[in-house]
Amino acid sequence: MTVTPIPDGYHSVTPWIIGQDTAGLMDFLAAAFDAEDLGGRVVDDQGRIGHAEMRIGDSVVMMFDQPDWPPTPAFLRLYVPDVEQTLKNAVAAGGTVVTNPTHMFWGDVIARVHDPFGNLYWLHTRIELVDEAELTRRFTDPKFLDAMTYVQSSLFRPAV
């Protein structure tokens, strides 16, 4: 049997989300992003989750409770089939809109949502392929300059 250096179903980078309510986070991820619980949840005798894994799209996100740590928000970019619907799902699951869907110069529509646990998700859907000449033109197009100004003006800063 051949052993591969990266296990099947994983990618080179697997983020961790560390918080104080991993069970609640898992419920949010399932409702907002149709995340799948991969099982293998490790729970201690006090009910804290020491390890859990969920698949969002084709990627695995690991998480665990660490009540003694200061808040350590995760910032994750998710490519999704439909930014607007995913944003609606995230809000219905308890998220707060940080950036409304915005068409960006490089060909993605993006939105950002903050979950109830302090994490920020950049939602992206590629809607067009933009060549170098068009990218250059868009750097001076007021529509795309306004879009970039809007997105940059709503940068999210976690509470300290």
Side-chain angles (χ1 to χ4, degrees):
M1 179 183 292
T2 303
V3 175
T4 59
I6 300 171
D8 290 340
Y10 291 79
H11 296 284
S12 297
V13 176
T14 302
W16 283 96
I17 301 177
I18 303 166
Q20 298 181 356
D21 183 5
T22 298
L25 173 65
M26 293 176 78
D27 290 343
F28 174 82
L29 294 174
F33 309 126
D34 200 28
E36 172 192 1
D37 185 342
L38 297 179
R41 188 183 305 196
V42 177
V43 181
D44 70 14
D45 57 358
Q46 295 177 356
R48 292 184 299 229
I49 295 176
H51 179 86
E53 297 182 18
M54 295 191 84
R55 183 175 311 284
I56 302 173
D58 66 355
S59 299
V60 174
V61 177
M62 296 183 182
M63 58 210 73
F64 65 91
D65 289 324
Q66 189 54 266
D68 300 333
W69 283 16
T72 54
F75 287 59
L76 302 176
R77 173 188 269 189
L78 283 66
Y79 271 97
V80 298
D82 183 340
V83 163
E84 291 188 18
Q85 185 59 55
T86 302
L87 184 62
K88 287 178 187 174
N89 294 346
V91 169
T96 303
V97 174
V98 174
T99 307
N100 288 308
T102 305
H103 182 186
M104 301 304 290
F105 67 90
W106 63 86
D108 286 6
V109 171
I110 70 163
R112 289 180 290 185
V113 63
H114 176 240
D115 74 18
F117 310 97
N119 305 297
L120 180 72
Y121 306 87
W122 291 69
L123 309 175
H124 286 244
T125 298
R126 177 68 40 96
I127 62 167
E128 61 182 336
L129 299 176
V130 181
D131 65 26
E132 189 108 9
E134 181 61 11
L135 276 174
T136 300
R137 186 198 71 74
R138 288 180 179 191
F139 283 131
T140 60
D141 183 326
K143 170 186 161 186
F144 290 105
L145 292 173
D146 288 348
M148 184 58 81
T149 298
Y150 165 64
V151 168
Q152 290 177 339
S153 72
S154 64
L155 287 178
F156 173 82
R157 290 171 182 82
V160 178

